[in-house]
Amino acid sequence: MRRPFTALNRNHYFVIGLLLGLLLSWHIPEDIWEEECPEEAAENLLIERFGQEFEPHLNLINKPLAAKKPVKNVIRPRYYSSELGIREKLFIGVMTSQEHINTFATAFNRTTAHLVNKIKFFIYADSVKTNYKLKNIVGFTDTRESRRPFHVVKYIADNYLDEYDYFLLVPDTVYVDARKLVKLLYHMSITFDLYMGGARIGLDPSGGGASADGQSNEPPANEEEAPGASDRNYCSLEAGILLSSSVIRKMRNNLERCVRIGSTSDHSVNIGRCVKYASRVAGCQESFQGMRQFSYALDAPGRRHREFSELAKEEAFRNASTVYPVQTPEDFYRLHAYYSKHHLEKVQERGYALEQKSYRIANGSISNKILEIRWPLGVPPPSAPETRHDILTWQLLNGTHNFLPNGNAEHAVATLSRIEAQDFAKVLEIALQYAALKHPRLSYHSLHSAYRKFDATRGMDYQLHLNLQEGSGRSRRLVIKSFEVVKPLGRVEVVPSPYVTESTRIAMLVPAFEHQVPDALLFVEQYERICMQNQDNTFLLLIFMYRLESPSKGDEDPFKALKTLALDLSSKYKTDGSRIAWVSIRLPEQLSEPVDPQSWLLHASMYGPRQLLSLVVADLALPKLGLESLVLLATPGMVFKADFLNRVRMNTIQGFQVYAPIGFQMYPCRWAHFCRECDTCDVSQSSGYFDRHNHDVIAFYSRDYVQARKLLHPQGLPIIRSDLDIDQLLLQPGEETRPPGVESILDMFVAAQHSVHILRGVEPNLRFGQDVRNHLARGGTLPQSVPERCGREQCIHLASRKQIGDAIIRYEDKSILHK
C-alpha cells in the first residue's frame, strides 16, 4: 500500500511547483529585468536637454596641463670612479724657484713623475717664462715667502682635493723614492687625518718656536693660540710633509686663521701651526697604523762627504722614502739608480722565492693542471691548435739560414735577416753560459741543430742541440746536449691612434694602359653602381698612359670611349657632387713598345714588369688633388665592395698610418680547368689566394706621400714633375742608383723610414683576376709559356697545390680517367 502513496506524493510536489512558477511569471512586470547601458543613459539625457542636433566639442585650451613639479633628470658622472668616490693615491707638490726649474726641478721630474699619479711645481708668477721644458708649473702672484705654502694648499684644495688621497709637499732638493712611498700609502686607511714626516723638536728663534736657550718665541698675545700649539713637534718640510685629503680640506676651511698665525719665515712651522689648529692633530706623526715613513738626511754629521755607494750599505738609507738635501741635479739620477737597483733586487728575490715555493707545493703530489705550474713560471703555455691547419711548426735554422720559412715550400732556404741573426746569436750565447754552469767539465764544440717556433700567446721558443766536448786528446768525445730557451712576450700595450670617421672623401686613382681600356670601362661601370648611385663620398681620377706616338684627340684616341663615359656620368650625377676626371701621361720611347695583353695578364701586377710606374702615376696625379686628400691607388682589373672603401677610411690615418690591403687573387678557372668559377662565392682555398706580392692597391694621404718622396729624392729616387722626367726614374740596370728593392709605392714608404706606420692585412672584399676572366670571356687566350719576368718574379697562380696534384694523379693514372 506504501508504494502508490509514495509515487502520488512525488507527482503532487511537481504539480505544485509548476503552478507556483506560472503564477509568479504572470504577475512580475517585464521591465524589472531590463537595465539601461550607462552610455545610452547619458546620450538620452543630453537629447532630452539639448535636442537631437547636439554635437559635443572638446575643450583643448591649456591642455595638456604641465606638471606642477617638473621631473628632474638625474645626471650621473661620466666615470664609475667619480660616482663611487674612487681617488688616485698620491699628489706631489714641489716648491721650487726660477733658478732651479731647468736643474733641480727637471731632475726631480725625470726621476719621480712616471711613478706617481700627479706632480706640480710651484713658483712665483712674475718669474714664469714660456721657454721652460717643464709644462706642469704653477705660478703665484703673491711674492710674500711666508704665504707661499698656504697658496699651495689653496691651489691643491681648489683643484685636486677630490681626486687624490694623499698630498706630499717637498722642496726641490728632496729625492723621493716614489715606489716605496706609494707602497706605504696603500697600507694606511684614508679615513683618518694624516700629518706625517720627519719630526723637528726644538726650533730656532726665527722659526717662532722654542729656542735653544729655552726662551719662548710665541705669536703675539692677542692672537688666539690653537690647542696643542705648545707642542713644538712639527714635521720638517726639508724632508717632505705628507698630508691626507681630510687634513687639506680642514686647512682650506681655516685658511684665514692659518695665514694670521703662520707669519714666520719657516714653512715647516707655518704648515705645522695650521695643521694643529685646523685638524687638532697632536703633532707630527712619525708612524701611523704600524707604518712609518723614514727620511735620510745627507747633511747629518758623518754623512756629508761619503759616497752614495757607502751610504747604500746602511739599512736606514735603504729604508728611507725621502733623501735630503740633494746638492746637485746629478745626485738625483745617482740616487734614482741606487734605489731602482735595490727595488729590482727585491723583485728578483721575491720572484725566485715564489718560484721555489710553487715547486715545493707541487712536489709531484698535486697535478699541474690544478696548480698551473709550468715552465717558465708565469709564462702562458703553448696554445693548443683547434684544427690541423692551426698547428705551429718548428723551423730548422742555423746561424745564417732558415729552412722552409713559414712552411712555404716555394722557398726551401731563406737567409736570416740582420735582426734574426742577432737574435739567434744572443740566444746561443745565453745557452752556452747556462751550459758552462750546468756542465763545467764540458766545452762547446759546435752547433748540431736548432729549431724555433713563434707563438703569439707565449713568445719565441728555441730548441738548441749542442755538440759539447768532453776530455781532451785521444780520450776526447762529443756529447749532444739539448737546451730549450724561451723569449716570452713582454707587456702588451694598445697603440693609441688618432680618431677617424667613415665620412672622409676618397680620391681613387685608376691608371690604365692602352691595352687595358676594356677593363677600365668595366671598372667605371662598377664605380657608378657602387659609389655614384649610392652617393658615396668618392672622386674618381683616371690616368691615361699614352704611348709616345699615340694620338690623344679625335676618333683615333685609344681612350676616347673612357673619356665619353666619364663625361656622361659626370653630367648625370652632377647634382650629387660625383664626377670623374682624367689626367694624361705620355710615356717615353723605351716604354712605348706595343704590349701583348695575353702576356701581361699573367703578371701579378697591372704594370707588368714596370711596377716602378706606380710612382710616376702618383707623382703626376697628386698635384691635381692637394696635400690633404685621402688617395686610393687602384687598378682597372680589381673588384671591390662598399665595405672595402669604409675600411680604407678607417685604416688610413694622416701622419700616422698607410694602408696596403692584400687582395684576393682569383684563379683563371675557365682557362686552366682546375676549378669552377664562382663570382658570388666567399674566399676559399679552391677559388683563389691572397696575393702578398701584389702591391698595386695602396691608400695614403698626399702629405705623407710627399714627405716620404722627399726623403728618398737625395738617395737616387727623383721626383717626377713632368712627362719628360720619367726617363730619370727608369734607368738601365748598369746606371741604376736608386735605393735597392724599391719597386712600388709600398717599397718607397718602407725604404724612406717615414714616421707613419704601414698596415698590411687581408681584404676579402678586394679581388683581383677579373681582367683575366674578362679577357677569356671576350674570346681571348693566354700564352702557353710563362713570361721571362713577372712582377717581382711572380706570376699569378693557376690553381692550388691540391687541385694541381689531383690533376697530375688523374693524368698519370689512366684508370682514373675512365671513371
Side-chain angles (χ1 to χ4, degrees), residues 50-107:
F50 299 102
Q52 197 69 257
E53 303 298 330
F54 172 76
E55 293 183 2
H57 298 278
L58 298 178
N59 182 12
L60 301 179
I61 301 175
N62 296 329
K63 295 180 180 179
L65 298 177
K68 295 182 179 180
K69 293 183 178 180
V71 179
K72 295 183 179 180
N73 295 328
V74 179
I75 301 176
R76 299 188 63 182
R78 183 176 182 181
Y79 303 104
Y80 288 127
S81 59
S82 302
E83 187 171 8
L84 299 177
I86 301 175
R87 294 176 291 193
E88 301 289 349
K89 187 56 62 178
L90 181 61
F91 176 98
I92 296 183
V94 184
M95 300 173 63
T96 183
S97 61
Q98 177 185 4
E99 294 78 12
H100 291 173
I101 282 292
N102 292 328
T103 54
F104 286 90
T106 301

Side-chain angles (χ1 to χ4, degrees), residues 86-348:
I86 301 175
R87 294 176 291 193
E88 301 289 349
K89 187 56 62 178
L90 181 61
F91 176 98
I92 296 183
V94 184
M95 300 173 63
T96 183
S97 61
Q98 177 185 4
E99 294 78 12
H100 291 173
I101 282 292
N102 292 328
T103 54
F104 286 90
T106 301
F108 191 106
N109 186 72
R110 290 179 177 176
T111 56
T112 309
H114 61 288
L115 301 174
V116 297
N117 304 113
K118 192 73 173 179
I119 186 171
K120 286 285 185 180
F121 296 89
F122 298 96
I123 61 175
Y124 295 121
D126 58 353
S127 62
V128 174
K129 296 182 180 180
T130 59
N131 58 352
Y132 288 144
K133 296 180 180 179
L134 291 179
K135 302 301 180 184
N136 47 352
I137 301 176
V138 179
F140 301 123
T141 56
D142 191 352
T143 58
R144 286 173 289 186
E145 186 65 23
S146 61
R147 296 192 178 184
R148 189 178 182 187
F150 303 116
H151 288 302
V152 173
V153 171
K154 185 177 185 305
Y155 176 85
I156 291 174
D158 293 342
N159 297 278
Y160 300 104
L161 184 60
D162 297 329
E163 298 181 15
Y164 299 92
D165 288 335
Y166 298 97
F167 300 86
L168 178 66
L169 303 181
V170 292
D172 57 6
T173 56
V174 177
Y175 171 77
V176 179
D177 186 1
R179 294 186 180 93
K180 190 178 301 176
L181 183 59
V182 172
K183 182 180 178 181
L184 172 71
L185 297 179
Y186 273 103
H187 289 82
M188 294 191 298
S189 175
I190 191 57
T191 57
F192 298 93
D193 294 341
L194 181 67
Y195 172 53
M196 179 177 282
R200 289 192 343 184
I201 301 178
L203 304 175
D204 58 341
S206 62
S211 62
D213 56 1
Q215 303 230 347
S216 175
N217 190 16
E218 297 292 335
N222 57 351
E223 289 288 349
E224 180 183 354
E225 186 65 23
S230 59
D231 182 8
R232 300 307 171 194
N233 184 12
Y234 295 132
C235 291
S236 173
L237 182 63
E238 288 79 8
I241 300 177
L242 188 63
L243 302 170
S244 63
S245 57
S246 58
V247 173
I248 294 290
R249 181 178 287 105
K250 293 175 182 178
M251 293 175 67
R252 181 185 62 179
N253 297 336
N254 299 274
L255 204 56
E256 294 182 1
R257 173 65 178 169
C258 291
V259 171
R260 289 199 299 269
I261 64 176
S263 58
T264 67
S265 60
D266 193 335
H267 296 325
S268 302
V269 175
N270 295 338
I271 296 175
R273 287 178 178 176
C274 184
V275 171
K276 285 187 177 183
Y277 174 79
S279 63
R280 310 297 179 180
V281 177
C284 184
Q285 300 164 321
E286 296 184 357
S287 63
F288 182 74
Q289 295 180 347
M291 308 304 297
R292 184 173 181 180
Q293 176 194 357
F294 293 95
S295 300
Y296 192 86
L298 296 175
D299 58 351
R303 300 176 181 171
R304 298 180 180 180
H305 303 289
R306 296 176 61 186
E307 294 292 334
F308 289 154
S309 58
E310 298 180 5
L311 296 177
K313 300 177 183 178
E314 299 182 14
E315 188 69 19
F317 181 84
R318 293 194 297 269
N319 293 335
S321 56
T322 58
V323 180
Y324 70 97
V326 180
Q327 301 297 327
T328 62
E330 290 75 16
D331 290 344
F332 274 96
Y333 304 110
R334 297 192 187 98
L335 289 169
H336 190 65
Y338 281 112
Y339 279 101
S340 298
K341 180 182 179 181
H342 175 66
H343 287 294
L344 181 60
E345 292 174 351
K346 289 290 186 181
V347 171
Q348 291 175 346

Side-chain angles (χ1 to χ4, degrees), residues 16-33:
I16 292 174
L18 181 62
L19 293 174
L20 288 175
L22 293 173
L23 291 174
L24 290 173
S25 62
W26 178 263
H27 289 284
I28 294 176
E30 297 179 1
D31 56 355
I32 195 173
W33 305 105

Side-chain angles (χ1 to χ4, degrees), residues 405-432:
N406 302 321
N408 190 354
E410 297 179 0
H411 301 281
V413 182
T415 305
L416 292 179
S417 64
R418 181 179 59 86
I419 301 298
E420 292 175 333
Q422 292 179 355
D423 181 68
F424 180 75
K426 184 65 176 178
V427 169
L428 181 60
E429 179 185 354
I430 294 174
L432 293 178

